[in-house]
Each structure stands twice: as C-alpha cells, then as structure tokens.
Amino acid sequence: MRIFCLNTVLLLCSFLLAAQTNLRYSTAQGPVFQDSDSSRVNALIEMADECRYYHPDDLIRYNKEALDLSMKSEYQYGEGLALKGIANYYYDNAQYDSALFYLEKAELIFSKLGETEELMDIFGMYCYMCVAQGEYNKALESGLRALKSADTIGSKYEILNANSFIGYVYFSIGDFEKSLEHYFAALAMAIEEKDNNRKIASLKSDIARVYDEMRDYKLAIEYYNEAAELLENENDPYLNGIARLNLAESLNCRGLFNKALKEYIESYKIISGLSDQLTTSRILTRIGKAYIREANTGVSLDIADLLIADAGFVNIEELLLHTISILDISGNRDDLVVCLESLASLYLSKNMYQKAYTANQRLMSLKDTVALVNQANTLSQMLVAYDMEQRKKSLDLLEAKTMVNDEK
C-alpha cells in the first residue's frame, strides 16, 4: 500500500504550494511590488497556479513568461517563484531531473533572499523525489531541514508541512511507528485550523495507508472513509478523483474487489484527464496490483476485465505495460518494482514463461539496485555513528588526561 502514499502527501503539498504562492509575498525587496513589471509577474504566477493539473501547457507558458520578465526587471523573488512553478510542471509529470534543475536554481535565489518558507516548499519536493528514486537518506535529510526551518520561524503551518514530509519518508522505509508519530502531529495542527478539510483529508489518507500496510484494516478503512467524505463534495475535479481513490482503497481493504476496481477506474478517468502523470501512474499501479492479487485467488475476472476495458485498455497486460512505460521515464523505482512483480505474476499464471522470465530478470536487477542503494545508506549511517563514537572517546580521553595533569 505504500506505493500510493505519495499521492496524498503530494495532495497536501500542492495545497500548501498553491496557497503560499498566491497569498505570500516577499518583504525582502520592499517597494519593488509597486512596480508594474513585478505586478505583472505576480499576476502571471497566479494564473499559472490556477492552471496546474488542468491546463499544464498554460502552467509552464505563464511561468516562463514570468521568469523572462522577472529577470529583465531584476525581480528576484518573482524569478524564484517562476523557477519553482516550472519545476512543478516537470514534478507533476514525474520528470525529476528537469524538476531538480529548476528547483536548485530557485533554492539559490530564496537562500540569498532569506525566504525560509519558500525553501521549505523546495525541501519538501526534494524529499518526495528522493523517496521515489530510493534515496531515503537524502529524503530524510530534506524533511529534517524543512522541520528545522519551520522551528526557526515558529510557523505552525510550516511545522505541519514538515511533519508530513518526514512521516512519508518513515512510511517509505517501513518505520510505521515514527511515520504515525509525525502524521498525527501534523493532523493535530491541521485540526486546530478552521476550514481546513483538504489538509485534514490528505493527512487522514496518509494515516490510513500506514494502517493498511500494517494490516490493521479496521483503522485503515475508518481513515480512508473519513478522507473520502471530506473531499467528495469539493467543487474540484482533482479532489473528487482523490476522494474516489480513497473510497477504492477502503473497499479493497474490505475485500470487495470489483467494487474497489470500479472506484479505482473512476478515479483514473478523472485524474488522467488532468495531465497529472505522477498520480495517474500510481492509480494504475494500484489497479494492477489489486487485479493480480484477485487473479491469484482463482475467482472469475469477467467483471474486472470489462472494467479494465472501460478504462481504455485491451487487457491488464496492456495496462501494466503502459504504466511501466510511464515509470521508466520518471525513474520511480518503488512503483516500478510493484508493476514488474504484477506483470511477472500475470505471465506465470498464463504459462508465458519466456515473458515471465524477462520481467523477473528486470525485476531482480532493479531490486539489486535498490538493495545496493539501501546497503550504501546503511553503511553511511554506520560510519557516521562510528565517527561520532570515536570523537566522543577522544574527548573523554583528553578530559581524563587533563584531570590527571590538574591533579599533579
């Protein structure tokens, strides 16, 4: 279930990013906001935010216009926002290398201006990209940087955001207790705010996924349903799609496969029409995994096959191959592993041994890569711990020698 958790955390992040870009303005450049060029830049960025998920071509076009104008008028804060907006476009489409290129440029600008809140947004995006690519140490480092920055400025809003980042990282590495600790801390802060249903829904969905992974299905169902109820009446197609997805997860926990699959498909139809490749690929990954799990029980899949066809795919094989092609571009290894496992299982069930072997070979190669990365991260942590221990011993020895000399 952890493969989908990023989606809801991203939902929270998108709310925070949009709200901050629209409502927050820099004080670092004072009177520049009265200038007509800076006002035009602000307007372009706000227009771009309104296009996110719905008109991605306009999203990047407005941000590039804002970038050009802000550079000509030397409006650095606007330049940083435009760079981050362009990064959002590539981020939503799971093109992490391009997103990282623009984020790093934005980080330099906001660091120079002392824009801590903007830097927190960037740390959060770093966090998610690192998790998607299996770089868990870097992801946790980004989350902790965000939390430290939030504590520095004393903003509950930003502390909430940082806790959600860290909760997601711990979930991804399987430390569910720490994940819940940070998610519940964020949820408590979100509940304190008024008219905050979207953030609360996002966090409840994240918490549901943790319980789902822990196989505590009773609590998972409870939180999935609460998240769905908070979003289903929102006047926003994206949120409606996420609501259907939470409902699908709830039904899946209850073992109602066909009903769950129907909701997954409805969610897919909504989200795929909004040019959000990242969330779309995650929904397809969930569909594939649920289908294969049901197939392994030996029950009839006639209804499921009709639903797959209704989503626009000839069969489940085509759906999985299509999803893998998206994940190959994004480099999201966690989801790619799940899809390859589903595909290999599908081929085995159909006695297509050569295809099963090919899928399995790639899967093993990918798992080895992830294992090597994790092993390197573990060794790195051990070396740091060892170095700190050795330094402590040296200090203790020096202190002991000093005491002896003083006594003499």
Side-chain angles (χ1 to χ4, degrees), residues 298-309:
V299 301
S300 172
L301 293 171
D302 291 344
I303 295 176
D305 289 334
L306 289 174
L307 290 170
I308 296 296

Side-chain angles (χ1 to χ4, degrees), residues 195-254:
D195 301 321
N196 207 23
N197 282 353
R198 295 183 179 187
K199 294 178 196 173
I200 294 171
S202 177
L203 288 164
K204 285 193 173 185
S205 187
D206 290 333
I207 291 168
R209 312 239 185 290
V210 181
Y211 284 128
D212 197 341
E213 189 72 12
M214 294 170 68
R215 298 188 178 183
D216 189 339
Y217 296 125
K218 181 178 179 180
L219 284 174
I221 291 168
E222 177 183 334
Y223 280 97
Y224 279 135
N225 287 340
E226 289 178 4
E229 289 171 5
L230 286 167
L231 295 177
E232 63 186 1
N233 294 321
E234 293 284 343
N235 187 27
D236 185 317
Y238 180 79
L239 299 180
N240 297 152
I242 299 301
R244 302 296 288 265
L245 186 51
N246 277 285
L247 180 56
E249 297 284 32
S250 174
L251 291 167
N252 203 25
C253 284
R254 294 164 59 190

Side-chain angles (χ1 to χ4, degrees), residues 4 6-7 56 58 62 67 118 254 263 267 311 316 327 402:
F4 173 66
L6 173 60
N7 174 65
D58 289 336
Y62 289 141
L67 179 61
E118 296 295 348
R254 294 164 59 190
E263 293 300 328
S267 175
I316 189 63
L327 295 172
T402 303

Side-chain angles (χ1 to χ4, degrees), residues 41-223:
V41 169
N42 292 338
L44 284 167
I45 290 171
E46 189 166 341
M47 290 164 62
D49 288 337
E50 292 173 356
C51 294
R52 190 174 184 181
Y53 303 125
Y54 307 107
H55 305 286
D57 292 340
D58 289 336
L59 165 68
I60 197 165
R61 177 168 65 86
Y62 289 141
N63 274 307
K64 285 186 174 180
E65 286 182 29
L67 179 61
D68 290 341
L69 185 55
S70 59
M71 291 177 70
K72 289 177 183 178
S73 59
E74 298 183 353
Y75 175 26
Q76 290 187 312
Y77 183 69
E79 182 181 349
L81 287 179
L83 286 165
K84 192 175 72 172
I86 295 171
N88 284 339
Y89 168 82
Y90 290 112
Y91 181 74
D92 292 340
N93 287 281
Q95 298 179 36
Y96 297 136
D97 288 342
S98 296
L100 186 61
F101 174 80
Y102 288 100
L103 279 180
E104 287 176 343
K105 289 179 176 293
E107 182 185 359
L108 289 174
I109 292 173
F110 291 135
S111 295
K112 178 181 177 182
L113 298 176
E115 290 290 343
T116 305
E117 294 181 1
E118 296 295 348
L119 287 171
M120 282 201 53
D121 297 342
I122 292 173
F123 295 156
M125 294 174 75
Y126 284 156
C127 181
Y128 301 138
M129 287 189 288
C130 288
V131 167
Q133 296 174 317
E135 298 178 354
Y136 300 116
N137 275 8
K138 289 184 179 179
L140 187 57
E141 179 186 350
S142 295
L144 293 174
R145 287 172 71 190
L147 186 58
K148 183 178 180 180
S149 297
D151 286 335
T152 299
I153 62 178
S155 169
K156 285 187 177 181
Y157 179 85
E158 300 296 353
I159 293 172
L160 182 162
N161 201 5
N163 271 298
S164 71
F165 298 158
I166 297 171
Y168 172 62
V169 178
Y170 279 125
F171 173 81
S172 299
I173 62 179
D175 192 335
F176 301 134
E177 289 187 7
K178 285 187 178 179
S179 178
L180 286 173
E181 177 184 336
H182 286 279
Y183 278 145
F184 276 118
L187 180 61
M189 294 178 190
I191 291 173
E192 288 179 3
E193 299 181 23
K194 295 181 179 179
D195 301 321
N196 207 23
N197 282 353
R198 295 183 179 187
K199 294 178 196 173
I200 294 171
S202 177
L203 288 164
K204 285 193 173 185
S205 187
D206 290 333
I207 291 168
R209 312 239 185 290
V210 181
Y211 284 128
D212 197 341
E213 189 72 12
M214 294 170 68
R215 298 188 178 183
D216 189 339
Y217 296 125
K218 181 178 179 180
L219 284 174
I221 291 168
E222 177 183 334
Y223 280 97

